[in-house]
Amino acid sequence: MEEGGFGGPGFGGRHWGQEQVFLSLTRHTWTDIHRYLALVLIALVLVHIYLHWSWIVAMTRQLFASKGE
C-alpha cells in the first residue's frame, strides 16, 4: 500500500499532505471548537447541579427513607 494509504502515515489516502477542510474550517479548528464546547457543556452541567442541589438532596433522602415514615 502507498505511504498515504488507509492506515499508513498521513492517514489521508490520495489527498496525503493536504489540509482537511469542512465548511471552510480545518480539522484542527474543528478540534478546538469541539474541545471548547465540551468545556462549556461541563460547566453548564456543574451549574445545573449546583442550582438544583437541594432538590437532589431531598429526592435522595426520600428514596432512601424507611418505608414506615
Side-chain angles (χ1 to χ4, degrees):
M1 189 170 271
E2 294 180 22
E3 188 174 320
F6 183 78
F11 203 69
R14 64 180 176 211
H15 301 290
W16 185 69
Q18 294 179 355
E19 188 71 42
Q20 296 177 355
V21 177
F22 180 70
L23 296 177
S24 300
L25 299 173
T26 65
R27 187 180 125 242
H28 301 291
T29 304
W30 282 112
T31 301
D32 291 339
I33 291 170
H34 183 268
R35 182 178 298 119
Y36 293 130
L37 286 177
L39 292 174
V40 168
L41 181 61
I42 290 169
L44 289 174
V45 167
L46 292 175
V47 168
H48 179 79
I49 290 171
Y50 174 77
L51 291 174
H52 294 88
W53 186 249
S54 60
W55 181 86
I56 294 169
V57 169
M59 290 298 110
T60 303
R61 285 183 180 154
Q62 184 179 345
L63 181 66
F64 291 109
S66 63
K67 302 291 183 191
E69 292 182 25

